[in-house]
Amino acid sequence: MTKPPTTFRIDMDDKKSWSPESSTDPSAYEGDMHQVKRTFTRRLTESFKRDPNASVTRSSFSAADHHHHAYDAEAAAQATAFSPLLRRLKGRHLQMIAIGGSIGTGLFVGSGKALAYGGPASLLLAFSLTGVMLYCTVQALGELAVLFPVAGSFAAYSTRFLDPAWGFAMGWNYAMQWLVVLPLEIVSASITVDYWVHNVGLNAAWVSVFLVMICLINFFGVKAYGEAEFVFSIIKVTAVIGYILLGVLINIMGGVDSQGRPDGSYMGFRLWHHPGAFHNSFKGLCSTFVTAAFAFAGTELVGLAAAETENPRKTLPTAIKQVFWRITLFYVVSLLIVGTLVPYDDPRLLNGRSSADSKASPFVISIQNAGISVLPSVMNVVIMISVLSVGNSSIYGSSRTLAALAEQRQAPSFLAYIDRKGRPLYAIIIASVLGLLAFLAASHKQQDAFNWMLALSGLSSIFTWGSICLAHIRFRKAWALQGHTLDELAFRSPVGVVGSWVGLIFNILVLIAQFWTGFRPVGYASDSPSYLVINFFQAYLAAPVVIVMYVGYKLYMRTSIIRARDMDVFTGKREMNIKTLLAEERADRLNWPTWKKIYKFFC
């Protein structure tokens, strides 16, 4: 790098009295008062004070650069690498975030709409292929996150390995996605209560309860988030495995006669023949791909959590490999069973009032069809927990992304405020306050408001995943060009650069499919042009927003695409002298028995 190293102004008194490593010591920032027994209130108020490590003034611009609006990518890399977020997540937290992170309403409820539009074969094909794409993407993310467990993760990688303007667009795109998702999920959670209590007037009360609960979890810090997700994920995983076992039994014994009465016959793939395996031909398949892509949203959170993990080199590869099992077992197998139990022409699949209305869930419908009375309520509880889990993740995802953007001088600087418990306090407050939009549930215009809010984040995951794949491709090129070998990587993507190309191309194809189905949706009426225009912009609004942010920032800051030989492949590496250690570990693996090699490959 040709630029001089970025200078930091450090308050040495603060630096001595506090550090992330000493954060668990009650006397770490007490100075001469360490003998005094502090009250709970005192400890609580002091925990919200700024971490002195976060008060380092990282100026992204020199005086000369500021006049020309030039962007200093080196300073941005330093800022994310030395973020004072605390490393409190353990391996079990990370594994359950990876396994259960994206199991939510997209699987439990959204799959019903996909089944109705595309049929059971399209449902299975779309989710399987999207799973392959996501597997490649997450492996690329794992390789980057293990080497550079920095704040902001994939948004920071776009700034570092692609173009600072694209990093700005991706960071804000991702933050907006989660900021909008929070109120939507809280309203969805209140709607799940309607399954038992049919009183719309109580919706605002349930919104208040759920919003306070989610905010409290996140104000207790990253460890509280990890513990909550651990519990939520265990419940979701248990429910899916239980449903798979139940679904097999229903398939064997749940057939009906010509009058629709249960006769205990074997169903098999009867519904694939009548009403059929595919519906709405190729367009039905494309619309199902779009639903599948949205259902997997949140998978990338495991990479964002790397910066707050105790030992990412050990725990992150294991968590990344869990994605294979989630895709195979939880999505593909459960949806295969759903497609054999629920016909795609069942009118209930399209009668949901929201993305979390369990009345439209094919999981619930299949249990109702089998005549089991109690379990639909149990599935509704699981759907509610899934919704709250996504809401919990939304505050985490948006606050960490906003704080990282602020540290890189791509967002207002006050958002970079991180307190002594490692919480990006102002970013969490902003995300929580936007949750108040959930009270729009009491408005007559709630559906219009939520449709446009959702449109802002509709394509966010597609852009994020595509950027991860492209950043990995560019990183590998820079890594080789600057004289490094793959043996120096603590975790290497098993699908390599080829897998990243597969992921990138597949994401582009999903964007094309979304454009087509947004412009000409399944079952559209040709005599309603206003409906088509509204539907298209609600489906594709995120794309012009990203383009405007990218072009505007690029013109203002005059950024350029970073060349491979100029990329910083050093800053932020948590463990430096790792080559010898890795060689010893690889030599040890050669002596493993075959069963262990196979197990470790997948787990």
Side-chain angles (χ1 to χ4, degrees), residues 133 466 469 499-512:
M133 175 269 288
C469 292
S500 294
W501 276 112
V502 169
L504 177 61
I505 292 168
F506 205 101
N507 277 294
I508 293 171
L509 291 176
V510 172
L511 282 177
I512 295 170

Side-chain angles (χ1 to χ4, degrees), residues 487 578-590:
D487 289 336
I578 200 172
K579 196 169 182 180
T580 305
L581 182 62
L582 289 176
E584 291 173 358
E585 289 179 359
R586 290 187 181 113
D588 182 50
R589 284 190 204 123
L590 294 175

Side-chain angles (χ1 to χ4, degrees), residues 49-360:
K49 292 181 180 178
R50 182 191 284 271
D51 184 337
N53 287 341
S55 67
V56 175
T57 304
R58 302 179 180 95
S59 176
S60 295
F61 311 102
S62 66
D65 284 345
H66 189 273
H67 178 72
H68 297 292
H69 303 301
Y71 188 82
D72 190 342
E74 183 184 357
Q78 293 267 11
T80 54
F82 297 112
S83 174
L85 294 169
L86 299 189
R87 302 164 192 168
R88 293 287 178 81
L89 289 178
K90 299 184 183 296
R92 63 184 177 86
H93 297 140
L94 211 58
Q95 286 183 38
M96 293 313 286
I97 290 171
I99 291 176
S102 70
I103 297 176
T105 54
L107 172 64
F108 292 127
V109 182
S111 57
K113 186 177 180 182
L115 176 62
Y117 282 166
S122 290
L123 181 70
L124 189 64
L125 186 62
F127 272 82
S128 299
L129 290 175
T130 306
V132 171
M133 175 269 288
L134 200 65
Y135 178 80
C136 296
T137 303
V138 173
Q139 295 297 328
L141 175 60
E143 182 176 308
L144 291 171
V146 169
L147 191 63
F148 305 108
V150 299
S153 190
F154 30 83
Y157 301 148
S158 292
T159 296
R160 192 164 174 173
F161 302 128
L162 301 176
D163 182 348
W166 189 249
F168 171 82
M170 286 302 95
W172 276 104
N173 168 61
Y174 194 71
M176 280 199 306
Q177 173 197 1
W178 285 120
L179 289 171
V180 167
V181 160
L182 176 62
L184 291 174
E185 294 300 322
I186 291 173
V187 170
S188 296
S190 70
I191 288 174
T192 60
V193 181
D194 290 348
Y195 188 87
W196 302 291
V197 184
H198 302 287
N199 188 339
V200 179
L202 287 175
N203 273 8
W206 287 113
V207 163
S208 303
V209 171
F210 293 140
L211 180 60
V212 168
M213 186 178 85
I214 290 172
C215 292
L216 279 177
I217 289 172
N218 279 273
F219 274 111
F220 276 108
V222 69
K223 194 167 184 180
Y225 163 74
E227 293 292 354
E229 282 305 298
F230 183 76
V231 174
F232 289 153
S233 294
I234 285 177
I235 294 171
K236 290 188 286 186
V237 167
T238 304
V240 173
I241 293 174
Y243 175 81
I244 290 172
L245 297 175
L246 176 66
V248 171
L249 291 175
I250 294 174
N251 187 281
I252 294 171
M253 304 168 19
V256 295
D257 59 22
S258 57
Q259 279 75 44
R261 293 173 300 195
D263 62 2
S265 62
Y266 172 68
M267 293 182 68
F269 285 85
R270 188 186 302 175
L271 297 179
W272 285 50
H273 298 286
H274 180 76
F278 291 95
H279 189 216
N280 291 315
S281 63
F282 186 64
K283 184 180 287 186
L285 177 63
C286 287
S287 66
T288 309
F289 269 118
V290 172
T291 305
F294 296 156
F296 281 107
T299 303
E300 69 289 333
L301 274 170
V302 68
L304 194 66
E308 295 174 88
T309 302
E310 286 182 351
N311 190 350
R313 188 176 73 82
K314 292 285 188 183
T315 57
L316 197 59
T318 303
I320 291 294
K321 290 171 186 174
Q322 306 291 344
V323 174
F324 171 82
W325 294 110
R326 181 179 62 208
I327 292 167
T328 305
L329 183 64
F330 303 136
Y331 278 88
V332 177
V333 176
S334 63
L335 292 177
L336 171 64
I337 291 172
V338 160
T340 66
L341 300 179
V342 182
Y344 69 69
D345 56 0
D346 191 313
R348 290 171 290 179
L349 293 172
L350 296 174
N351 285 342
R353 290 193 296 133
S354 81
S355 62
D357 192 342
S358 60
K359 295 182 183 69

Side-chain angles (χ1 to χ4, degrees), residues 1 5-6 8 73-82 143-150 156-157 160-161 474-476 478-480 482-484 488-489 562-579:
M1 303 291 289
T6 308
F8 301 114
E74 183 184 357
Q78 293 267 11
T80 54
F82 297 112
E143 182 176 308
L144 291 171
V146 169
L147 191 63
F148 305 108
V150 299
Y157 301 148
R160 192 164 174 173
F161 302 128
R474 298 272 295 142
F475 158 74
R476 277 288 190 95
W479 188 252
Q482 295 184 27
H484 296 282
E488 297 175 56
L489 297 175
I562 298 175
R563 293 174 295 186
R565 67 173 181 270
D566 294 332
M567 287 181 193
D568 180 0
V569 295
F570 180 79
T571 303
K573 289 169 67 176
R574 187 170 291 181
E575 297 177 75
M576 300 300 176
N577 301 318
I578 200 172
K579 196 169 182 180

